[in-house]
Amino acid sequence: MIETKIRNISNFAKNIIAILVCAIVSIIVILPYIHNGALHCGVDMSFHLNRAYDLCENIRNGNFFPHISTYSFNQAGAAINMAYGALPLYPMAIAMLLINNPINAVYATMIFFIFVSMVIAYAMGIKVWSSKKKALAFSFLYVLSAYNFSWLFGTFGLGQAIGYIFVPFIFYGVYSIFFLKNKEWYFLALGMTGVIYTHILSTLIYSSAILITLIIIIFMADGFWKNFKYFIYACVTSLLATLFYWNNIKELYSADISTTSGGSIASAKLGLGDAIVGSLNGNNGTFGPLITILVIVGLILWNKQSKFAKITVAIGLLYFLGTTTVFDLVWNFLNHTPIVMIQWTGRLRMVSNFFFAVFATETVFVIINDKNEYAKSAAFISAVTFICLGLSYTFLNQSSGQTYVNYKPSTAKPAPFTNYQINSKDGFMYLVKGYNTGVGSLDYWPKKAVKDWNTEEKIRTHHAILGKDEFEVKYNSLPDGISYNINEIRKTSHLDLPFLNYGNHYKVYVDGKETGYYETSRNTIGVSNISKGKHNIVIKYKQCNSEKATKVISILAILLLILLAIFKNITFIGKKEENRY
């Protein structure tokens, strides 16, 4: 009994040390960016900073679940939040509330994301390997990979990068259902819920990986169909937990909206050799030299690998080949299917990177023998951190010549679409509050609003239409709404306001009195028979009953998942579980 207590205390202490190591390294790898003092674009940076700022201002004003963007994205009421998961924005929005300098707030959020990701990878690694050293090595390889950092900083693709955090939950959940005594299916549900609320394209890709994994498991696991019920539990619970999101999608697509075109998902003529060399060189969006070399070495040591390791690298290689010309025949057929939504095959590397990190971890411990194991593990962790810092300094050096956004963007001088940097609070505010033609600025607008450049521009620049006259209106942003002060009404007429309409989801008030509205020819909100004189017009988004009901259902389902995790004694003390491999 005493020995058991001592062992538990020792395990707890080791886990605390591992978590502290993750916390320290999370700070260290972001220090170069903080010291540099600028946010570097990242083609998606404008899109995600606008979303985060909009959520920040909504929270500041008491609205925690905004449906439309009224503080950013040209304050036109775009329904981006209804289509694009907002989960990763909450830590950043809260950081912006607490930290006066928005640049530091963004980097503080990056530290948080990396730390949480490392802890999750470590915790799930313990459950898979029953080894803290392997779990910590996997955490470092997976989270500090060149691929992950290229998405965080190279493209500033928060959706895909933060969805990446939940992948260990997903695949451990599947592994647990079919190979372990404890059927911890709720990890699969938690992981898919997190990804759905973060990035819908990642959901599609990870779902395909789960399907392929299940096909492999059918031929390997005893009692597959007996255990399949736990997979169904996970699917149903995840569906309930994300019902709020799916209902929002339904409401949004009931309007006639414009969506990002999938185009072609061909592999852009990336040859297999070029893909391997690109990864060895650490090109943006690749696995980087460390994981690439470890995978190659692991393949050379094939006879020493476990069946588990061989399966993981096989899945990783399949998805990797899918990003090269090897799979062009397949993609030419799939170009005519809904999978075209993934937009380009490079996204498949997110699956490869996960499975390669697992295989690389196995390879590391094939190479490391029992002699001086702790010293070798410490050296390995230090090397991973060193390589990650090197990649960061390379990125910062290459980005030093980017254009500074230190001016108020306008039609005459918009902010650059890409290849720019922000090094001040003023520059940040120009980007999120000012004239915006960047990535995502027209996402999910009603089709009539994007029928031509002139129509888009009049909405972006807050031009109302009164009869045949156009004029710029003054506005004040509100949570899920906007307030216009109109001084130009000289005669009773219909007023077309520069605020997007998505159907019967609004309440309109003229001088404090609710009134009706109509959809204009440019898919904005119009008010009939506005009398001459000065008026205050307020437009507020109105939640329908299905939105309210699904919000409650989703919150309850998420709470159920969290409570299951608590009552199942989810801790960082790894208990050895039966592994059928």
Side-chain angles (χ1 to χ4, degrees):
M1 187 70 176
I2 293 175
E3 290 180 359
T4 301
K5 288 183 177 180
I6 292 173
R7 193 181 304 114
N8 287 340
I9 292 172
S10 176
N11 281 335
F12 181 76
K14 289 177 181 178
N15 285 318
I16 292 298
I17 291 171
I19 292 170
L20 287 175
V21 169
C22 292
I24 292 168
V25 171
S26 300
I27 296 170
I28 288 173
V29 296
I30 297 299
L31 283 178
Y33 300 92
I34 296 174
H35 180 261
N36 185 60
L39 296 172
H40 292 275
C41 178
V43 66
D44 286 342
M45 186 170 78
S46 170
F47 179 67
H48 290 297
L49 291 185
N50 270 264
R51 296 175 68 220
Y53 175 76
D54 192 87
L55 178 61
C56 170
E57 293 305 303
N58 270 277
I59 292 174
R60 192 192 304 276
N61 289 281
N63 181 25
F64 290 87
F65 301 100
H67 289 74
I68 56 176
S69 296
T70 55
Y71 292 93
S72 64
F73 287 116
N74 299 300
Q75 300 78 36
I80 291 171
N81 292 335
M82 296 177 71
Y84 208 113
L87 182 60
L89 303 181
Y90 283 88
M92 191 171 288
I94 292 170
M96 289 177 182
L97 285 171
L98 299 177
I99 301 173
N100 185 51
N101 184 331
I103 296 172
N104 290 339
V106 170
Y107 286 131
T109 310
M110 295 300 190
I111 292 172
F112 173 78
F113 286 147
I114 292 169
F115 172 66
V116 170
S117 187
M118 292 187 80
V119 170
I120 289 175
Y122 172 69
M124 296 300 100
I126 287 177
K127 287 181 168 293
V128 171
W129 286 293
S130 298
S131 166
K132 295 175 179 60
K133 290 186 286 293
K134 275 192 175 183
L136 193 59
F138 168 68
S139 176
F140 272 68
L141 281 170
Y142 178 65
V143 179
L144 303 184
S145 67
Y147 181 81
N148 195 24
F149 266 61
S150 73
W151 276 98
L152 272 176
F153 298 104
T155 63
F156 211 93
L158 282 190
Q160 185 161 321
I162 308 310
Y164 200 60
I165 290 174
F166 300 99
V167 179
F169 277 155
I170 293 171
F171 289 104
Y172 170 73
V174 174
Y175 176 76
S176 170
I177 288 170
F178 296 103
F179 293 103
L180 299 179
K181 284 184 177 180
N182 296 333
K183 309 300 181 184
E184 296 180 290
W185 56 266
Y186 40 84
F187 278 115
L188 173 57
L190 276 171
M192 289 306 296
T193 298
V195 173
I196 291 167
Y197 277 123
T198 300
H199 193 232
I200 194 61
L201 295 184
S202 293
T203 304
L204 178 64
I205 293 170
Y206 293 138
S207 296
S208 73
I210 292 170
L211 178 61
I212 290 172
T213 304
L214 289 179
I215 293 171
I216 294 172
I217 290 173
I218 288 176
F219 300 100
M220 295 184 52
D222 297 330
F224 176 86
W225 295 111
K226 178 182 176 182
N227 293 323
F228 192 74
K229 64 183 180 183
Y230 297 105
F231 182 78
I232 299 299
Y233 294 164
C235 292
V236 172
T237 308
S238 180
L239 176 62
L240 292 173
T242 58
L243 204 56
F244 178 61
Y245 172 80
W246 298 118
N247 183 76
N248 281 346
I249 284 284
K250 177 184 72 68
E251 292 294 324
L252 177 60
Y253 276 81
S254 64
D256 192 19
I257 63 168
S258 171
T259 57
T260 303
S261 173
S264 172
I265 53 173
S267 53
K269 301 188 182 304
L270 182 64
L272 178 59
D274 292 335
I276 295 172
V277 172
S279 283
L280 286 169
N281 290 333
N283 293 347
N284 191 36
T286 63
F287 309 114
L290 181 59
I291 284 183
T292 304
I293 290 171
L294 284 172
V295 169
I296 293 171
V297 170
L299 292 172
I300 294 171
L301 300 174
W302 185 258
N303 290 335
K304 295 183 178 182
Q305 299 286 3
S306 66
K307 185 181 289 187
F308 171 72
K310 292 175 180 178
I311 292 170
T312 57
V313 77
I315 298 173
L317 287 171
L318 175 66
Y319 274 81
F320 171 58
L321 292 173
T323 68
T324 71
T325 52
V326 172
F327 263 54
D328 270 358
L329 175 65
V330 176
W331 294 126
N332 283 335
F333 284 104
L334 293 179
N335 266 334
H336 306 289
T337 71
I339 203 170
V340 74
M341 289 189 300
I342 70 171
Q343 299 170 351
W344 64 294
T345 60
R347 293 187 188 276
L348 299 180
R349 294 193 193 108
M350 68 176 81
V351 177
S352 289
N353 197 67
F354 171 78
F355 285 104
F356 282 170
V358 173
F359 182 68
T361 302
E362 292 278 306
T363 301
V364 167
F365 284 87
V366 167
I367 298 170
I368 294 176
N369 55 37
D370 292 335
K371 188 177 180 180
N372 297 324
E373 187 175 353
Y374 283 100
K376 291 179 180 178
S377 297
F380 169 75
I381 288 172
S382 299
V384 175
T385 306
F386 178 81
I387 291 170
C388 182
L389 285 170
L391 292 170
S392 295
Y393 278 110
T394 298
F395 169 76
L396 291 171
N397 290 336
Q398 292 174 343
S399 305
S400 61
Q402 289 178 330
T403 303
Y404 286 99
V405 176
N406 52 10
Y407 58 90
K408 187 175 181 180
S410 64
T411 302
K413 189 180 181 181
F417 189 78
T418 187
N419 198 32
Y420 61 89
Q421 59 183 305
I422 299 168
N423 67 342
S424 67
K425 184 176 182 179
D426 286 343
F428 177 87
M429 290 302 175
Y430 288 145
L431 188 71
V432 297
K433 294 183 69 175
Y435 176 82
N436 181 3
T437 56
V439 170
S441 60
L442 297 176
D443 278 10
Y444 309 108
W445 277 33
K447 285 185 177 179
K448 292 179 183 177
V450 292
K451 59 186 177 182
D452 56 62
W453 183 87
N454 183 63
T455 302
E456 298 166 8
E457 190 70 359
K458 295 301 181 182
I459 296 173
R460 270 196 294 258
T461 53
H462 313 289
H463 277 76
I465 301 173
L466 183 69
K468 296 182 179 180
D469 298 327
E470 295 182 0
F471 57 93
E472 185 175 345
V473 291
K474 296 179 180 179
Y475 65 89
N476 290 303
S477 298
L478 304 171
D480 262 346
I482 201 157
S483 173
Y484 294 111
N485 291 315
I486 311 292
N487 298 322
E488 291 85 353
I489 306 296
R490 298 179 180 178
K491 61 180 181 178
T492 299
S493 186
H494 300 315
L495 180 63
D496 177 344
L497 294 162
F499 200 79
L500 302 173
N501 178 49
Y502 293 93
N504 187 28
H505 278 285
Y506 301 88
K507 288 189 176 182
V508 178
Y509 302 88
V510 177
D511 300 326
K513 296 181 179 179
E514 186 174 352
T515 187
Y517 65 93
Y518 66 94
E519 181 174 283
T520 71
S521 61
R522 55 178 186 169
N523 261 137
T524 55
I525 288 179
V527 182
S528 302
N529 300 320
I530 293 289
S531 59
K532 64 180 181 180
K534 298 181 180 180
H535 297 283
N536 172 254
I537 301 175
V538 173
I539 303 171
K540 292 284 290 183
Y541 184 88
K542 178 184 66 175
Q543 288 188 54
C544 63
N545 291 333
S546 65
E547 287 171 315
K548 296 175 183 177
T550 53
K551 183 190 296 184
V552 172
I553 293 170
S554 292
I555 289 173
L556 290 176
I558 292 169
L559 288 175
L560 171 64
L561 286 172
I562 294 172
L563 289 173
L564 270 175
I566 293 172
F567 288 131
K568 292 288 186 178
N569 297 315
I570 304 302
T571 67
F572 298 125
I573 301 175
K575 295 181 180 180
K576 188 174 183 180
E577 300 189 67
E578 179 183 355
N579 189 323
R580 296 185 184 176
Y581 286 120

